[in-house]
Amino acid sequence: MTEDGTGLLTIGELARATGLTVRTIRYWSDEGALPPVARSAGGYRLYDAGSAARLELIRTLRELGLGLDDVHRVLAGERSVAEVAAAHVVALDARIAALKVTRAVLSTVARRGSSAEETTLMNRLARLSAAERRRIVEDFMAEIFAGVDTADPDVRTRLRFATANLPDDPTPEQVDAWVELAELIQDPEFRALMRGMIEFNAADRGPDVPPGTSLWFVSRLVQLAGDALRQGVAPGSPEAEEVLRGLLGNADRAAVLECLTAAANERVARYRQLSAVLNGLGPQPSHEEEFSWVVAALRSCGGR
């Protein structure tokens, strides 16, 4: 209480009562958030109990990260605390998402020992908007499927899922996977490789072939080759020829060999691994042994 018995507090007394510094209280007062209720004979600012309560609200809102403009609106009754808080949550969510991307990029840079150029590229790719990321994916899909209308629609769906967008709340591993995948699907050589596989898929596929046939073929390949491996069937043996006939029928074996060799390509395998990380699926079976067995059997048995 001041010496004149008014019950009003000087700025120093208010500072001691609230634990805030005189400098802070003076700043908020100068900004109009905490106007004095009166002034002493000597011109010093004076505050009452209501000022102390107002000061506590200002401190709370500022500690929660609200700017002075929003504080003014709340104090003036233009917006409720709930309305300002809801808007601030949206802004915080965006800030948190940006910080997570920053952390992920820095973690990747540290792990890879990246150069300045690679760091710049990774940061740019990681911070693309959702629309920009979709455009990269759509451009990739459009190029590898352009004019190939007879390709299995299930293959198109599967590839689109594989190039899923970066999640809204990505892990550092997903940011890393997206950056590498974005680099990969923009590479002309990789696109040509994937285009060749799509063209092979569409080459002998008539209009009456049901969707999913290509995926059924892969499942059957894994099953038959897996059985052959477990039984110890050598790729160049007569038994291997029987497996190939059961799997391929009268298909062009040279074309099948070319396609399977492409599918076993390290970059295609990496594409599948990155896709699994992006989609949160964890490690997926590569069936590398089964594909390698069929490739070896095709090379050994030739056109038999």
Side-chain angles (χ1 to χ4, degrees):
M1 179 181 293
T2 56
E3 293 181 357
D4 62 8
T6 63
L8 298 179
L9 302 172
T10 65
I11 196 167
E13 291 168 334
L14 184 60
R16 288 191 292 274
T18 60
L20 290 167
T21 65
V22 169
R23 182 179 180 180
T24 297
I25 297 174
R26 183 178 292 116
Y27 171 72
W28 288 344
S29 185
D30 290 342
E31 291 294 320
L34 187 71
V37 297
R39 287 189 177 264
S40 69
Y44 292 103
R45 307 177 220 214
L46 300 175
Y47 302 91
D48 60 9
S51 300
R54 185 182 180 95
L55 183 58
E56 187 60 38
L57 176 58
I58 295 170
R59 173 164 62 179
T60 298
L61 294 177
R62 292 292 287 154
E63 286 178 348
L64 289 173
L66 272 68
L68 275 176
D69 286 344
D70 282 328
V71 171
H72 275 297
R73 292 187 185 99
V74 170
L75 295 174
E78 297 173 3
R79 298 187 72 183
S80 69
V81 173
E83 289 172 334
V84 172
H88 196 56
V89 166
V90 174
L92 275 177
D93 284 343
R95 175 70 174 153
I96 289 169
L99 285 173
K100 285 184 175 182
V101 170
T102 298
R103 183 185 183 281
V105 171
L106 289 175
S107 297
T108 301
V109 168
R111 186 174 63 256
R112 289 186 181 182
S114 302
S115 66
E117 293 77 9
E118 186 181 14
T119 300
T120 299
L121 175 62
M122 283 193 294
N123 188 55
R124 183 182 66 78
L125 289 173
R127 295 186 187 282
L128 292 175
S129 68
E132 289 170 327
R133 292 195 296 268
R134 279 195 298 272
R135 277 197 293 273
I136 290 176
V137 172
E138 291 301 325
D139 183 60
F140 168 69
M141 294 291 293
E143 181 169 332
I144 66 174
F145 279 97
V148 189
D149 299 328
T150 56
D152 191 333
D154 277 14
V155 171
R156 186 188 296 267
T157 300
R158 195 179 185 92
L159 280 176
R160 188 177 297 280
F161 175 76
T163 49
N165 210 340
L166 188 67
D168 291 335
D169 188 18
T171 63
E173 292 76 19
Q174 286 174 316
V175 173
D176 192 8
W178 160 253
V179 169
E180 188 176 343
L181 184 70
E183 292 172 323
L184 186 60
I185 64 177
Q186 292 180 93
D187 183 280
E189 291 184 2
F190 182 74
R191 290 188 173 199
L193 180 65
M194 296 296 287
R195 170 73 180 191
M197 293 172 61
I198 298 300
E199 289 174 343
F200 171 82
N201 174 265
D204 297 319
R205 190 172 183 277
D208 298 327
V209 177
T213 303
S214 303
L215 303 182
W216 174 86
F217 170 77
V218 172
S219 298
R220 184 163 172 75
L221 181 151
V222 170
Q223 177 191 346
L224 294 179
D227 290 343
L229 283 166
R230 284 186 289 273
Q231 294 166 14
V233 176
S237 66
E239 291 83 359
E241 171 60 27
E242 290 181 16
V243 174
L244 291 180
R245 276 202 299 268
L247 176 65
L248 304 176
N250 297 322
D252 182 342
R253 293 191 178 189
V256 173
L257 176 59
E258 181 181 354
C259 182
L260 292 183
T261 300
N265 181 281
E266 289 183 1
R267 301 186 80 196
V268 175
R270 184 60 179 159
Y271 170 80
R272 290 193 290 263
Q273 293 168 1
L274 295 171
S275 300
V277 173
L278 265 179
N279 288 289
L281 300 178
Q284 298 294 296
S286 64
H287 301 298
E288 182 179 348
E289 290 186 356
E290 291 87 345
F291 276 86
S292 296
W293 186 91
V294 174
V295 168
L298 283 167
R299 287 172 175 164
S300 300
C301 297
R304 277 193 264 165

